[in-house]
Amino acid sequence: MIKAIEWKHNRLFIIDQTKLPGKLVKFECKTPQQVAEAIVNMKVRGAPAIGVVAAFGVYLGIKRPPLAKTFEQLLSQVEKLCAMLGKTRPTAVNLFWALDRMKRCAQNNRDHKLSTLRDILLREAMNIYKEDERVTKSIAGTGAELIRDGDTIMTHCNAGALATVGVGTALGIVVEAAHKHSGIKVLVGETRPRLQGARLTAWELKQARIPFHLITDNMAAHFMKKGMINVVIVGADRVAMNGDVANKIGTYGLAMLAYHHNIPFYVAAPVSTFDRNLLNGDLIPIEERDPAEVTMINDKPISVPGVKALNPAFDVTPHRYVSAIITELGIVRAPFDQNLKNLFANLL
Ligand code: MRU
């Protein structure tokens, strides 16, 4: 099974996703700064994976000399590390969720010896890791129930094992459905500008021996009109409490197309991807990335010299276009505001 992130012998290893599908290269992140660099440059990406790796980044920071000598010093180290790691990518709320957990964990364990507290923080990072394994498995199982024999599933970006530390969210469902049902086919949108669909989802599906076709992003409407797509499943970077969903740029267009063609549009998201402070998606910060990602492919310019480009990395799909959100706690449908309130009522 693909492991995007591994914690082995007290060391953090990451698959460099910028090198896929050409090369499978793992490298060690030794410092929190290296973790931050890996997130910014998308060597590690996908909302849950970013959260997990950032939690380990905090631990890497506090275990290096100069070691804190008092609880206050240690807490201040944790807070500074969280602030630094929190500046890497603004949209995926899993990052802030994981960093908040590390901060809370430090605050709640002030009575321990400092060496024990460091161990407790490592255990918290490992809990976040293990929870993601459990949660993604559960989402995959639940979501696969929504798929029927012979369905062609369209997906966008990469919400697979590479984007999590488990089986993935949206792509976890696709893989599980392909095992449970007969005749499942997949259409993979290439996902300009970073090509996560063409590079990463295609790589994962090939590893899993699941039949798929790669299409360019602008082909989706054509295939929907022809009746060649039965269901769309995507992941999410942040879900607001009214069910609005931030995900990879292009998701909103796909959702509207699916709505127009009466095709179910499902979002797979763990509880850690819900922003319980946000009432609607207009408030979700959208990451703007380097225009060079749009003007170049594989370091080669594709437009006129000096061309200006816009590069929002995510968009927000209004909840009316979402058929259901698949979580580890069950499937949520409209009215999302009420049903999400009920879903979270029993959680801390
Ligand atoms: O910019 P990326 O590659 O980090 O964007 C990833 C996505 O948009 C995924 O769909 C999302 O994070 C969910 S991953 C389970």
Side-chain angles (χ1 to χ4, degrees), residues 22-165:
K23 282 189 197 140
L24 178 57
V25 177
K26 287 186 194 176
F27 70 101
E28 182 179 1
C29 278
K30 293 187 177 157
T31 66
Q33 289 71 25
Q34 284 171 349
V35 172
E37 189 274 333
I39 297 174
V40 169
N41 292 323
M42 295 175 68
K43 292 175 181 162
V44 58
R45 34 114 348 248
I50 294 173
V52 170
V53 87
F56 282 110
V58 172
Y59 175 69
L60 289 177
I62 56 158
K63 84 168 176 109
R64 287 166 67 79
L67 291 181
K69 295 201 175 61
T70 63
F71 170 77
E72 282 67 31
Q73 280 177 8
L74 182 54
L75 185 60
S76 151
Q77 271 186 346
V78 169
E79 283 169 352
K80 281 187 190 138
L81 288 160
C82 288
M84 188 270 290
L85 288 157
K87 286 198 188 102
T88 50
R89 295 193 75 188
T91 305
V93 78
N94 306 61
L95 172 65
F96 308 99
W97 169 86
L99 293 173
D100 283 348
R101 269 182 71 163
M102 295 301 279
K103 254 186 278 182
R104 251 197 332 271
C105 179
Q107 283 154 355
N108 292 342
N109 288 285
R110 66 177 309 141
D111 296 334
H112 290 278
K113 275 196 335 207
L114 292 185
S115 58
T116 311
L117 180 47
R118 285 189 197 93
D119 291 345
I120 291 174
L121 283 163
L122 172 58
R123 213 176 313 137
E124 185 68 348
M126 283 160 99
N127 286 341
I128 293 171
Y129 188 109
K130 284 185 199 139
E131 279 168 32
D132 186 69
E133 289 182 318
R134 276 199 304 276
V135 156
T136 49
K137 199 165 173 214
S138 153
I139 290 174
T142 305
E145 306 281 323
L146 296 169
I147 308 300
R148 292 155 306 175
D149 288 351
D151 272 353
T152 296
I153 308 169
M154 162 134 203
T155 188
H156 187 59
C157 192
N158 172 268
L162 288 168
T164 67
V165 289

Side-chain angles (χ1 to χ4, degrees), residues 19 35 66 160 173 186 323:
K19 301 239 169 10
V35 172
I173 294 173
V186 189
S323 311

